[in-house]
Amino acid sequence: MRERHRNSRAPTVLSRLSLALRLAVALAVSQILDKHGVECNASTATVTGTSFQVVNGAGTYIIYSLSGALRLTANGAGNIVAGAQFNGVLRVVKLNVPSHTTILDQYVANYPTGVNTDYDFNGDVGTLRFTWTVTGNAANLLMLTWPHHR
């Protein structure tokens, strides 16, 4: 027996934010770098740009602002705070391999704004499909996957 389901709900748009940005980092920020890798290692560091590397005990992260320059201040308490209200698109990625920075920079402008899911069963085999609504080129969308997603 074959069953089929389609989720046709309107996608939830998460790409536009209108709030004072406050990113809490679980462990104390030990470094914040600008896009050129210049470190600001004072107890309170302020950097302005569109791409930032943040380093803490859990790893290295890149914060991208796709909506223009942003001023971020990091302190030893593990907080990163924007200098003003931010209206726009942010992307955050964990950088496990430093050489991946180039490919992440290349594809950062392609991001999802919603998803429709579709699934069916044929006997004991199930198929789940995701159709992403994308800003940019859907063919160049980079998405996080965990081993159980593969």
Side-chain angles (χ1 to χ4, degrees):
M1 172 174 203
R2 184 176 178 124
E3 296 178 41
R4 186 174 176 99
H5 170 78
R6 178 176 276 293
N7 175 353
S8 60
R9 292 180 293 155
T12 303
V13 177
L14 300 174
S15 63
R16 302 281 179 210
L17 302 175
S18 177
L19 65 146
L21 170 67
R22 180 179 169 97
L23 297 177
V25 179
L27 302 171
V29 173
S30 59
Q31 296 175 312
I32 185 168
L33 300 93
D34 68 12
K35 74 181 242 175
H36 304 292
V38 176
E39 180 180 356
C40 300
N41 59 3
S43 61
T44 299
T46 299
V47 181
T48 300
T50 57
S51 176
F52 311 90
Q53 283 192 19
V54 177
V55 180
N56 69 15
T60 300
Y61 299 84
I62 302 175
I63 301 171
Y64 294 100
S65 171
L66 302 184
S67 303
L70 180 63
R71 191 178 90 218
L72 297 180
T73 299
N75 63 34
N79 296 315
I80 301 171
V81 181
Q85 181 173 338
F86 178 79
N87 295 307
V89 177
L90 293 177
R91 304 275 324 259
V92 179
V93 63
K94 184 168 187 203
L95 182 64
N96 289 321
V97 180
S99 64
H100 291 171
T101 302
T102 302
I103 197 163
L104 293 168
D105 289 349
Q106 180 180 352
Y107 294 107
V108 69
N110 306 294
Y111 59 91
T113 59
V115 65
N116 283 317
T117 58
D118 185 25
Y119 66 85
D120 60 28
F121 295 95
N122 190 2
D124 61 353
V125 176
T127 303
L128 176 61
R129 287 174 291 284
F130 298 92
T131 304
W132 296 98
T133 305
V134 175
T135 294
N137 184 341
N140 293 330
L141 182 62
L142 299 179
M143 296 290 289
L144 168 76
T145 64
W146 297 102
H148 68 276
H149 294 148
R150 298 177 200 140

